Amino acid sequence: MTRGIKHRMKAKRKNKGSKKGEGSSSVPPQHPVKVWQPGVDKLEEGEELQCDPSAYNSLHAFHIGWPCLSFDIVRDTLGLVRTEFPHTVYFMAGTQAEKASWNSIGIFKVSNITGKRRELVPKHEGDEDGEDSDSEDDSDDEDENGARVAEGCVNRIRSMSQNPHICAAWADTGYVQVWDLSSHLNALAESETEGIQGAAAVFTQDPLSKYKHKDEGYAIDWNPLVPGRLVSGDCKNCIYLWEPTSAATWNIDNTPFVGHTASVEDLQWSPAEPDVFASCSVDGSIAIWDTRRGKSPAASFKAHNADVNVISWNRLASIMLASGSDDGTISIRDLRLLKEGDSVVAHFEYHKHPITSIEWSPHEASSLAVSSSDNQLTIWDLSLEKDEEEEAEFKAQTKELVNAPEDLPPQLLFIHQGQKDLKELHWHAQIPGMIVSTAADGFNILMPSNIQSTLPSDDKM
């Protein structure tokens, strides 16, 4: 699995016009055009891709200095469901600096995220209201507060959903550390500083707890049902359980869960059962574990023909588990079918390079987002099927003259480009339709215009 940031250099601000994107345009083309397929079509000399603003309700790019391999969105108190612009987002991230001693964990606030509301079928010119989506002029206000970590790059970082000021971070030194960033988060919440804050003061702070694995790792996850319960997995195939003994202390069981024959790449707790978690590995398998039943997996199965890099357990449909592989494939499994042998209900081979992140939408049970080393972020809706009559009607309404390639899966809803060496993405649980992603050249905040921001109803899976 390719995990490190290529050419670890400080991010540079991109010039206007360098952003690439893909989406259907509401403006009728003036000459014959075709859909450009990433990884299939090549740009001729002198050609470049242009971002189509109409494809997004909001699109913003920014960086925080050194590139970040991992980040997590921090739950805030600004409202459980927010649909009105401008938006504010809190997140924490760990750096991949040029020198080990320069690395830090930062907690950030990005405010004044502007955008506009659009219907799936655009109105006539002049009928739309709201603020323009602003992708390149960096109009976001950004504040930073940080805490120094043990020397080494931050491989992965996760905020505890029940207590979002508590975070756990993997360092490439082999340490997993738990931090309390409450004072820094409170300072950000009270800050009304205008403009982008560069390198704010980064100060030394001791972690609440830390544990030294035998090797570095990437897999870590907080339990969504039991506050403080944590699992961490390393490149030596071992998974360790952290049980909270108080709000700020943990008991780490020194006897690991062992079942994989190669590096443990990702971990996900069940959204429905507090003692059950899933793991994936370079050995190509996925394992299901029950902490009440010993240190061996309750179930294990071959998931891909290459390393399984990432997994995501659907929190709206707990029977569904998604996985992404080093060969670029994505698989969706119905866990109820495991005993029957073949639990795969969907399999996609669209990406041709390693999958680096995968996550189900917190608002739509059938939707998930994927990032890949091919510099594409894709959004999928498993409920979609090809409907030629509906497509013809939509093309007529939008005056769209371009035919979509026949080999594109109908479940492929959106393709976002423009970031180099994509590493991780997350949906915002409190802002329907918003995705944040990190790459070697910085962060993007995007809200595609064709993502329906509806809330899950009781009758959904």
Side-chain angles (χ1 to χ4, degrees):
M1 172 182 177
T2 305
R3 290 171 291 208
I5 295 290
K6 299 174 184 175
H7 310 301
R8 208 175 276 163
M9 301 170 61
K10 259 201 168 179
K12 304 249 183 181
R13 196 175 302 277
K14 294 185 287 185
N15 293 327
K16 287 188 178 182
S18 63
K19 175 69 65 179
K20 301 176 183 177
E22 176 174 296
S24 61
S25 172
S26 61
V27 179
Q30 302 301 314
H31 53 80
V33 294
K34 69 170 187 174
V35 172
W36 189 85
Q37 298 183 75
V40 177
D41 299 323
K42 295 183 178 180
L43 290 176
E44 301 295 335
E45 185 176 353
E47 290 184 332
E48 65 177 13
L49 297 178
Q50 295 290 338
C51 175
D52 179 4
S54 69
Y56 299 88
N57 287 339
S58 184
L59 176 60
H60 298 264
F62 64 95
H63 63 82
I64 59 173
W66 296 109
C68 298
L69 177 62
S70 181
F71 76 102
D72 204 7
I73 294 174
V74 176
R75 182 174 58 82
D76 57 51
T77 58
L78 300 178
L80 292 178
V81 180
R82 309 202 292 273
T83 59
E84 298 300 322
F85 292 105
H87 288 300
T88 296
V89 172
Y90 291 85
F91 70 96
M92 55 182 61
T95 61
Q96 291 244 317
E98 186 176 349
K99 291 184 179 180
S101 60
W102 294 352
N103 283 294
S104 64
I105 288 173
I107 188 162
F108 305 86
K109 178 175 74 173
V110 183
S111 56
N112 195 32
I113 301 171
T114 58
K116 67 169 63 174
R117 288 208 161 279
R118 294 187 181 90
E119 296 182 0
L120 185 58
V121 178
K123 299 177 181 179
H124 295 294
E125 188 174 350
D127 287 348
E128 295 184 29
D129 50 27
E131 299 179 76
D132 287 337
S133 175
D134 199 349
S135 63
E136 286 296 336
D137 64 5
D138 289 313
S139 62
D140 314 324
D141 299 331
E142 178 185 325
D143 293 327
E144 172 186 359
N145 236 313
R148 181 72 64 190
V149 300
E151 291 192 1
C153 297
V154 178
N155 290 347
R156 195 160 289 174
I157 186 169
R158 292 291 181 263
S159 169
M160 188 196 306
S161 60
Q162 301 93 336
N163 298 297
H165 58 281
I166 303 292
C167 76
W170 251 116
D172 66 359
T173 55
Y175 277 100
V176 175
Q177 297 168 305
V178 178
W179 302 84
D180 182 353
L181 303 181
S182 56
S183 61
H184 322 316
L185 184 59
N186 292 336
L188 279 181
E190 295 170 1
S191 171
E192 296 181 358
T193 305
E194 294 294 330
I196 297 175
Q197 301 301 302
V202 179
F203 40 83
T204 302
Q205 173 182 322
D206 292 330
L208 294 176
S209 182
K210 65 179 181 179
Y211 184 76
K212 183 75 162 66
H213 283 247
K214 294 180 180 179
D215 197 358
E216 69 172 315
Y218 297 81
I220 195 166
D221 196 36
W222 291 105
N223 192 306
L225 303 176
V226 180
R229 182 176 288 177
L230 180 75
V231 280
S232 56
D234 59 36
C235 294
K236 290 291 187 182
N237 324 341
C238 296
I239 301 170
Y240 292 88
L241 176 66
W242 301 49
E243 285 286 6
T245 53
S246 71
T249 57
W250 283 262
N251 176 48
I252 299 103
D253 189 343
N254 286 317
T255 304
F257 294 84
V258 178
H260 290 293
T261 59
S263 172
V264 177
E265 298 294 280
D266 203 4
L267 290 161
Q268 283 274 283
W269 284 100
S270 164
E273 300 181 72
D275 301 298
V276 176
F277 67 89
S279 62
C280 66
S281 170
V282 167
D283 64 18
S285 72
I286 291 176
I288 309 295
W289 310 77
D290 189 328
T291 60
R292 300 163 298 183
R293 300 181 180 179
K295 302 294 184 177
S296 298
S300 182
F301 51 90
K302 186 72 172 179
H304 291 268
N305 294 323
D307 306 4
V308 188
N309 295 337
V310 285
I311 53 176
S312 180
W313 207 320
N314 195 324
R315 296 197 176 187
L316 299 180
S318 60
I319 59 172
M320 308 299 286
L321 185 72
S323 58
S325 174
D326 224 39
D327 61 10
T329 59
I330 306 163
S331 290
I332 313 297
R333 284 178 165 79
D334 184 336
L335 298 178
R336 297 172 299 181
L337 304 178
L338 282 180
K339 293 181 179 180
E340 300 178 13
D342 186 8
S343 59
V344 177
V345 293
H347 182 78
F348 302 106
E349 299 181 359
Y350 170 78
H351 291 283
K352 306 304 179 186
H353 292 81
I355 304 300
T356 58
S357 186
I358 190 167
E359 187 170 287
W360 290 100
S361 166
H363 300 105
E364 290 288 343
S366 61
S367 297
L368 73 159
V370 177
S371 68
S372 170
S373 295
D374 60 12
N375 300 329
Q376 296 182 69
L377 186 160
T378 55
I379 301 175
W380 303 75
D381 187 341
L382 303 185
S383 68
L384 296 179
E385 295 181 357
K386 188 174 180 62
D387 188 324
E388 295 181 358
E389 183 178 335
E390 187 177 86
E391 288 181 6
E393 181 181 351
F394 180 77
K395 286 177 63 177
Q397 287 179 296
T398 60
K399 297 183 174 63
E400 180 62 77
L401 303 181
V402 180
N403 291 315
E406 291 294 328
D407 57 347
L408 284 184
Q411 294 81 14
L412 180 56
L413 193 62
F414 195 87
I415 302 171
H416 172 71
Q417 297 180 88
Q419 290 180 277
K420 296 180 180 179
D421 204 10
L422 272 161
K423 289 303 176 185
E424 194 168 271
L425 63 83
H426 294 293
W427 297 85
H428 199 300
Q430 296 168 269
I431 306 177
M434 176 180 284
I435 294 174
V436 184
S437 57
T438 184
D441 55 357
F443 288 82
N444 275 190
I445 297 176
L446 59 139
M447 298 180 72
S449 60
N450 64 339
I451 301 298
Q452 298 301 296
S453 302
T454 57
L455 296 177
S457 57
D458 294 337
D459 58 348
K460 287 194 175 184
M461 291 187 294

